[in-house]
Amino acid sequence: MTDATLVLTNATVLTQVDGAPPEQAVAVHGDRVIAVGTTGDVLAASGPGSTVVDLAGATLTPGWVDAHTHVVQGALMSLGVDFSRCECLDDVRRALHEATPVDGWIRGFGLNHNVFDGSAITFDVIFEAFAVPVLIRLYDAHSALANRAALERAGVSGREDLGQGVARVVLDAQGNPTGHLLEEAAIHLVESVAPTQDRAAAKSLLRGVTEDMASVGLTGTHVMDDLPGSVEMIRVLDEDPSGLRFWVYGWMQPDHSDDRIGELAGLVHGGGGRRWQYAGAKLFMDGTIDGGTAWLCHPDIHGESIRPAWRDPERYVDVVRRLSARGVSTATHAIGDAAVHHCVRTLSELSDGVRHRIEHLETVCPEDLALMGSAGIAASMQPTHCTRYTSADETDDWSRRLGRERVDRGWPVAELGGLGVPVALGSDWPVAHFDPRIVMADARLRRPADQRADSPRQPRQAISAQQALDGYTSHAAAAAGLSDGAGTIVVGGPADFTAVDGDLFGPADEVPDLPIIVTVVGGSVVYQR
């Protein structure tokens, strides 16, 4: 046997292979596992050049993979003012007063819809006059708030044809823009005239973000970015031997030409680097419930969320069929029940053996849950969107908009898992924090793990510790269509591991505080406590 380059010993090794008991140690040569077994047996594979790490009883699992992030967009947004801790409009005003303009603008991110307490989202309720142009992304990243100075700089009137079914500039009763911009096409009207953000600073931030991701046990992430320069920034990270793995999903937007289908197929079958690859195509079926741009079977309380992102939903059907026929997996953003319904019906009719997935699924019709299970469609879900942005008393904007019946169908993680659907878990960072320990704990509790006095949201959708771990390992791999042992610890499989000091199957409230001991990517230690 070839000598191991890395040996991890004296651990509780959870291989994530069905029915397999825990092992004690793992040996690696290069980026592949060459032995799994007792510490004594695995040490026999070591030699004078082997690096041996004694895990002293820690739990070792397959590497944790976040199934949905926006690493480049998050890094760019992080160059602005963080409004995520603002709990009321006074907090927002204070943050704006303290902000220092950059190139004459104030840019921000993370503003919670709930600070408006159910009232219309307008900049004037914060400040009627603010001389410096301001553009703030709301937490959902599908909407933004601009002040009058920014709107005037961009010449926004609200009469622009944005070319998409749900994007719009919100107008008041007099027909004037309120500053609330819904979806990317509307946000771009203002963003296109704002100063270009510092790419060098963003690259530095991105490197810092990935280091932070490794420190909380992440070995990789499914990247849902397709901003200009995104792949170039990931290529820079790929040169770093201590980097993560990235699965990149190129966008297919409703206004893209048919040529984009062939382009994406070429990228998926030929694009990638040492630790990154194009994994498929990202499509959008709707927007968000909070923004009123989701696609619901019945309108929300404001009469909104009644249209899909595709003006012709049948074109979505045609695009997905053509992508699938070329061997391209798709990941479709679908939040509302009508959007999920359309996607499930479309994907269930495909028969070419390509894995497809749906992102978010915040409210779903019961019949579509069962069809997902029988059709082999994967789900990619973010439990902390439920636990961190809705409240148990349903006074939050998401719950108010939907109403009791649809709230009860919110984020059906457990139900999907019970039907055999691979449920990959993630954060949608920067929408929510990327720490998998927080996501796994919240998914088990259906409330914030750090708020023990809080009540759960839809408690019947709570999942087990094993299901939570599956969501970051074997199910994340399944959602990406990987089949080389990814998401498990097996001989010949990838050498991606996360070691945590403590019991992942213990009380959920304690999981976020379990220390990460070692993170290994491709056989290299990228983090060690």
Side-chain angles (χ1 to χ4, degrees):
M1 178 186 292
T2 304
D3 284 351
T5 50
L6 175 68
V7 179
L8 304 170
T9 65
N10 297 316
T12 299
V13 181
L14 306 179
T15 64
Q16 287 294 89
V17 176
D18 288 344
E23 300 285 1
Q24 291 182 331
V26 179
V28 172
H29 180 80
D31 65 353
R32 293 283 146 177
V33 175
I34 61 171
V36 182
T38 67
T39 291
D41 289 343
V42 169
L43 279 173
S46 66
S50 304
T51 298
V52 179
V53 179
D54 186 344
L55 293 177
T59 300
L60 184 73
T61 76
W64 298 346
V65 174
D66 188 314
H68 192 118
T69 68
H70 300 271
V71 289
V72 177
Q73 184 179 14
L76 288 167
M77 286 169 56
S78 297
L79 295 171
V81 179
D82 185 355
F83 288 89
S84 64
R85 292 180 177 83
C86 295
E87 297 182 357
C88 63
L89 291 177
D90 281 342
D91 290 344
V92 180
R93 296 181 185 107
R94 191 176 303 111
L96 278 171
H97 267 309
E98 295 172 354
T100 301
V102 176
D103 296 327
W105 282 64
I106 292 174
R107 304 282 289 272
F109 67 96
L111 182 61
N112 194 329
H113 296 75
N114 291 315
V115 302
F116 294 91
D117 198 25
S119 299
I121 298 174
T122 71
F123 196 90
D124 282 354
V125 301
I126 304 171
F127 282 112
E128 287 194 11
F130 199 88
V132 175
V134 178
L135 180 63
I136 306 169
R137 287 263 184 175
L138 277 79
Y139 92 89
D140 65 357
H142 281 251
S143 54
L145 191 58
N147 71 340
R148 294 182 193 177
L151 294 172
E152 289 171 1
R153 189 76 59 90
V156 173
S157 66
R159 293 183 292 274
E160 295 82 4
D161 181 2
L162 300 177
Q164 293 183 20
V166 293
R168 66 188 176 98
V169 175
V170 179
L171 304 177
D172 63 18
Q174 289 72 45
N176 300 313
T178 66
H180 194 193
L181 308 171
L182 298 175
E183 300 301 326
E184 201 61 38
I187 298 169
H188 183 70
L189 296 174
V190 176
E191 202 153 60
S192 63
V193 302
T196 302
Q197 290 171 300
D198 188 333
R199 288 277 165 172
K203 285 180 181 178
S204 177
L205 274 170
L206 180 56
R207 191 177 299 277
V209 166
T210 57
E211 290 172 355
D212 289 344
M213 286 180 166
S215 75
V216 297
L218 283 170
T219 61
T221 177
H222 300 174
V223 180
M224 299 294 168
D225 283 329
D226 198 19
L227 301 173
S230 294
V231 170
E232 287 71 19
M233 293 176 75
I234 290 172
R235 282 198 179 104
V236 170
L237 293 179
D238 199 38
E239 298 168 2
D240 187 342
S242 63
L244 307 185
R245 295 191 191 272
F246 297 93
W247 290 267
V248 179
Y249 289 78
W251 286 5
M252 180 73 199
Q253 295 274 52
D255 56 352
H256 283 161
S257 70
D258 289 347
D259 292 342
R260 178 63 172 160
I261 296 172
E263 181 185 352
L264 283 171
L267 292 172
V268 167
H269 297 304
R274 188 172 57 92
R275 287 189 183 167
W276 75 276
Q277 68 183 73
Y278 275 103
K282 167 78 180 294
L283 301 94
F284 296 84
M285 199 65 243
D286 64 352
T288 68
I289 287 166
D290 307 73
T293 56
W295 186 18
L296 298 172
C297 294
H298 305 286
D300 66 18
I301 62 166
H302 300 302
E304 297 179 334
S305 285
I306 55 175
R307 290 187 299 275
W310 296 68
R311 286 181 172 175
D312 177 9
E314 289 307 307
R315 182 164 182 267
Y316 166 84
V317 176
D318 178 61
V319 166
V320 169
R321 286 175 177 168
R322 291 165 64 188
L323 285 167
S324 192
R326 289 176 177 242
V328 178
S329 297
T330 63
T332 303
H333 168 119
I335 281 180
D337 48 15
V340 174
H341 179 81
H342 190 75
C343 293
V344 170
R345 291 301 186 274
T346 299
L347 299 175
S348 66
E349 293 175 359
L350 301 175
S351 57
D352 43 33
V354 177
R355 167 74 80 186
H356 297 279
R357 55 193 274 187
I358 301 175
E359 312 295 307
H360 309 308
L361 303 107
E362 291 186 8
T363 183
V364 185
C365 298
E367 62 269 24
D368 292 324
L369 297 172
L371 184 52
M372 284 185 69
S374 61
I377 303 166
S380 168
M381 303 185 74
Q382 302 75 41
T384 45
H385 291 195
C386 170
T387 61
R388 305 283 161 157
Y389 292 109
T390 72
S391 56
D393 63 6
E394 300 176 10
T395 57
D396 59 279
D397 194 54
W398 185 93
S399 300
R400 278 190 295 228
R401 277 181 173 269
L402 282 183
R404 168 103 298 279
E405 180 182 351
R406 287 185 293 206
V407 167
D408 277 344
R409 301 204 302 263
W411 289 279
V413 183
E415 213 165 345
L416 283 165
L419 291 166
V421 175
V423 181
L425 298 182
S427 63
D428 201 9
W429 187 82
V431 175
H433 198 277
F434 49 70
D435 191 331
R437 296 168 298 180
I438 296 173
V439 179
M440 285 191 277
D442 280 23
R444 292 169 59 185
L445 297 164
R446 294 294 287 201
R447 62 162 171 79
D450 55 352
Q451 298 177 30
R452 298 192 181 209
D454 205 351
S455 298
R457 291 79 162 136
Q458 305 96 29
R460 67 190 180 89
Q461 297 298 344
I463 61 176
S464 69
Q466 182 62 63
Q467 289 172 312
L469 181 59
D470 291 343
Y472 271 93
T473 56
S474 56
H475 287 192
L482 303 177
S483 58
D484 65 343
T488 63
I489 300 177
V490 293
V491 172
D496 299 339
F497 317 117
T498 302
V500 58
D501 186 8
D503 184 7
L504 287 170
F505 296 89
D509 292 291
E510 298 175 6
V511 168
D513 298 321
L514 297 179
I516 302 299
I517 305 300
V518 172
T519 306
V520 177
V521 179
S524 297
V525 175
V526 299
Y527 171 81
Q528 187 167 10
R529 190 176 68 158

